Amino acid sequence: MSPRQKMINLMYLVFIAMMALSMGKEVLTAFGSINEKLTENNNSTSQKNEAAYSSLATKATDQPAKYLHLKQKADKIKIASNKFNSYIDSLKTKMLSDQEDKNNYEVMDRGDFLDEYLFKGDTFTKKGDEFVNEINEYRTNVVEALGADYKSLSDKTTILFSTDNQTDREGVTKKWLNYHFEGFPLVASLTKLTQLQVDIKNSESNILTTMLGGQLESEVSLSNYKGIVQLDKTAYYIGEKVTGKVVLGRYDPSMIPDKVTLNGGIYTNIKAGQIILDLRASKLGDNDIKGVINFTENGKSVPVEFNSSYTVIPEPNDAVISADAMNVVYRGVDNPVSVSLPGVSNNNLKVTATGGNIITSGSSYMIKAGQGSEMTINVGATLSSGKKINSSKKFRVKDIPAAQASVRGEFGLVRMPKTSVENADIGAGLPDFVFDLQLKVNSFKVKVPGELTVLVNGTAFNAAAKKALARARRGDQITIFDIEAVIDNNTSYKLKKVLPVIIEISN
């Protein structure tokens, strides 16, 4: 071979070596970038997990019968997770102790540290055995904490944190530690350890979500509901029709109130979450049953008012007035009110209103409330005996409650793919209101994390909103707020502030 050909061959060899070296540095840098992304994900998941743990602790204090056993399981899992996560952090610190620049991944191409730290010939060092034991201990502690109630979660944990032997592409069976950490560049092993921490955080998140979701499913199960009979009135006579309705009400024996006040006094006849009424009807006319039930929620006492009434009558000498929407009329809508007097036909009743207007009459009445806080229905009639009856009934006047923004017909927190969000219409509604009102959205504002707030006219995302949305990532929560809406057939009535809706990007 000539000297010239030898020189050409040598140059090719140097060129190929340089290409291999360059490609190696790019791979090392890629591993480092992945490690940074995983670390960032861990920080975000840790914050969400801490919020879930805190919420569960509050619920366990407020409602121990429901949530205390879940908190006890969660506490054990949290302790095991923190211990294992701290162990991995300490191992990563030792791995990088000799690195002057912790972010210079191109020099982390050697695996000498872990090869000497974990392995000794064909066996493991004490530190290697300790590493495997830490994984096994974590897996065992989590499975024991979950118990038989969460078998699917236990099975997933067992698989995810298994240390069983592994088979490589050549069909060679290796021990788990050798398969994952022997002979790898330092940055690759660092990334694998961070991924192990990701598995810990995600497992915690899945466990907490499943626990709380299972409790919610149990609470709303139809087995916890009872039929409740609601009669149109509480006094009947021979020959009258007994009318009313039967509704479903949720029965929860674990919801024990802290205190019950009934008709101005402390009431203690409470059994399995139910307030057992045991009163004597001793006064003619209308008698109130009203009071307050106090529960603890989020560490604070929350009062729940109740108000009803019953009538004690010896003979038909008083009008029976019942509001179709209970003892409340709402400003801004037409309120149906039924007025009757046993033994007197409707066309012989004289019905007037104080503090409002009667807009229709006949067998039923529609009234429109005024600007005051109460209004009165006055009823006058003459019985067949010639006796004149004049009765009145006061009703509380309330504004229409705050509406709620909606997306895809859902309220509160809605999880959606990003591709579906930009095409979704923003609506508004009153999901718990007694009247079925149609609301029209005129405008709203969109806030994407890290982006400026965008004002949108109409119900669909405009170009600016879609541009901001394009920068959202999975897990981001898009807030729709400052919604301007009106009642479709009564635009003159000014609604209260419309509550926002939050869209969480699912993928």
Side-chain angles (χ1 to χ4, degrees):
M1 187 178 296
S2 67
R4 180 175 179 278
Q5 186 62 45
K6 290 181 180 180
M7 179 63 69
I8 292 174
N9 291 348
L10 181 60
M11 290 176 63
Y12 274 120
L13 182 62
V14 172
F15 177 69
I16 293 171
M18 291 177 64
M19 288 184 63
L21 182 63
S22 175
M23 182 63 69
K25 291 182 180 297
E26 291 177 358
V27 172
L28 295 174
T29 301
F31 268 112
S33 177
I34 294 171
N35 182 68
E36 291 177 355
K37 293 294 184 181
L38 293 176
T39 301
E40 182 180 345
N41 178 76
N42 272 345
N43 294 334
S44 175
T45 307
S46 294
Q47 293 176 1
K48 293 180 180 179
N49 288 348
E50 284 300 321
Y53 280 123
S54 177
S55 175
L56 182 57
T58 301
K59 290 179 181 294
T61 301
D62 296 344
Q63 302 176 43
K66 286 184 181 180
Y67 294 100
L68 183 58
H69 69 289
L70 296 181
K71 180 182 180 300
Q72 291 170 344
K73 289 179 179 290
D75 286 346
K76 294 178 181 178
I77 292 168
K78 183 179 182 181
I79 292 171
S81 298
N82 287 345
K83 178 177 178 295
F84 188 29
N85 190 72
S86 297
Y87 170 80
I88 298 175
D89 275 337
S90 67
L91 180 56
K92 291 164 67 175
T93 300
K94 293 175 183 177
M95 290 169 60
L96 299 175
S97 60
D98 293 336
Q99 302 294 322
E100 294 183 3
D101 185 355
K102 305 297 193 266
N103 296 321
N104 186 5
Y105 304 114
E106 293 185 359
V107 301
M108 300 182 189
D109 56 343
R110 299 175 62 85
D112 297 352
F113 176 83
L114 286 186
D115 288 347
E116 296 175 3
Y117 188 80
L118 300 177
F119 304 102
K120 184 178 181 181
D122 294 334
T123 61
F124 303 153
T125 64
K126 289 183 178 180
K127 295 298 183 181
D129 288 329
E130 180 185 12
F131 184 14
V132 176
N133 290 337
E134 285 286 343
I135 300 175
N136 292 336
E137 181 183 354
Y138 174 71
R139 181 183 67 246
T140 301
N141 288 339
V142 171
V143 170
E144 288 180 352
L146 289 171
D149 296 335
Y150 300 97
K151 187 177 184 304
S152 62
L153 288 175
S154 297
D155 292 343
K156 290 179 182 178
T157 301
T158 300
I159 295 172
L160 189 60
F161 295 97
S162 171
T163 55
D164 292 341
N165 292 344
Q166 306 286 309
T167 302
D168 61 18
R169 292 182 179 179
E170 284 86 28
V172 178
T173 300
K174 296 182 179 180
K175 293 181 180 180
W176 182 90
L177 193 61
N178 297 90
Y179 182 84
H180 285 283
F181 291 97
E182 186 177 22
F184 287 94
L186 181 66
V187 67
S189 296
L190 181 68
T191 304
K192 284 187 178 183
L193 290 175
T194 304
Q195 178 60 54
L196 198 55
Q197 291 177 308
V198 170
D199 293 339
I200 296 171
K201 299 298 181 184
N202 287 342
S203 294
E204 285 184 279
S205 179
N206 291 336
I207 289 169
L208 289 168
T209 300
T210 302
M211 282 183 173
L212 293 174
Q215 180 62 41
L216 177 61
E217 182 179 346
S218 174
E219 287 183 14
V220 301
S221 171
L222 286 176
S223 62
N224 291 330
Y225 282 79
K226 295 181 67 176
I228 300 173
V229 179
Q230 294 182 341
L231 298 178
D232 288 340
K233 59 181 183 177
T234 56
Y236 293 90
Y237 296 93
I238 295 176
E240 286 188 88
K241 289 184 178 180
V242 179
T243 58
K245 52 185 172 285
V246 178
V247 298
L248 284 178
R250 190 168 65 85
Y251 169 66
D252 189 346
S254 65
M255 287 286 290
I256 307 298
D258 301 318
K259 183 178 70 173
V260 177
T261 304
L262 177 63
N263 290 342
I266 300 298
Y267 198 75
T268 58
N269 193 358
I270 304 169
K271 296 179 181 179
Q274 301 177 81
I275 301 168
I276 309 301
L277 294 180
D278 186 11
L279 308 174
R280 184 178 296 277
S282 57
K283 186 180 69 172
L284 294 176
D286 292 335
N287 293 267
D288 291 329
I289 300 176
K290 60 183 179 180
V292 179
I293 308 172
N294 289 88
F295 293 94
T296 298
E297 184 178 57
N298 297 326
K300 298 180 180 180
S301 180
V302 178
V304 179
E305 296 184 358
F306 61 91
N307 189 355
S308 186
S309 63
Y310 62 96
T311 305
V312 179
I313 51 175
E315 62 179 50
N317 62 354
D318 200 2
V320 179
I321 306 172
S322 62
D324 292 343
M326 302 177 70
N327 291 329
V328 175
V329 291
Y330 289 91
R331 213 181 335 265
V333 297
D334 296 338
N335 297 264
V337 175
S338 299
V339 180
S340 63
L341 181 64
V344 179
S345 59
N346 289 328
N347 59 353
N348 289 325
L349 295 177
K350 182 181 180 181
V351 183
T352 60
T354 303
N357 299 312
I358 296 179
I359 57 177
T360 61
S361 61
S363 59
S364 61
Y365 300 84
M366 299 293 287
I367 60 175
K368 187 167 283 188
Q371 296 303 312
S373 60
E374 65 178 27
M375 69 176 298
T376 303
I377 302 297
N378 306 298
V379 180
T382 302
L383 300 180
S384 57
S385 62
K387 181 178 179 180
K388 293 186 178 297
I389 300 295
N390 290 292
S391 299
S392 63
K393 182 74 173 182
K394 290 184 178 180
F395 293 85
R396 292 174 294 157
V397 177
K398 289 187 175 183
D399 289 319
I400 296 173
Q404 298 183 40
S406 67
V407 59
R408 204 170 56 186
E410 298 178 59
F411 302 92
L413 178 62
V414 182
R415 299 184 77 249
M416 294 176 61
K418 185 165 71 173
T419 54
S420 300
V421 176
E422 66 178 16
N423 297 320
D425 280 342
I426 303 303
L430 295 152
D432 297 321
F433 192 42
V434 294
F435 296 97
D436 185 17
L437 296 183
Q438 299 298 317
L439 304 184
K440 178 183 177 182
V441 173
N442 292 327
S443 66
F444 61 93
K445 292 180 181 178
V446 179
K447 175 61 180 173
V448 176
E451 302 295 325
L452 294 176
T453 298
V454 178
L455 173 64
V456 178
N457 291 316
T459 62
F461 278 43
N462 57 18
K466 291 179 180 179
K467 184 178 180 181
L469 178 64
R471 299 187 180 96
R473 298 179 297 177
R474 180 178 181 180
D476 281 352
Q477 293 187 344
I478 315 302
T479 304
I480 309 299
F481 66 107
D482 275 1
I483 300 95
E484 294 292 334
V486 295
I487 301 174
D488 215 7
N489 60 354
N490 188 6
T491 56
S492 62
Y493 181 86
K494 185 172 179 59
L495 288 169
K496 293 183 177 180
K497 182 178 180 180
V498 181
L499 301 178
V501 63
I502 297 176
I503 305 172
E504 182 173 327
I505 302 300
S506 59
N507 55 49

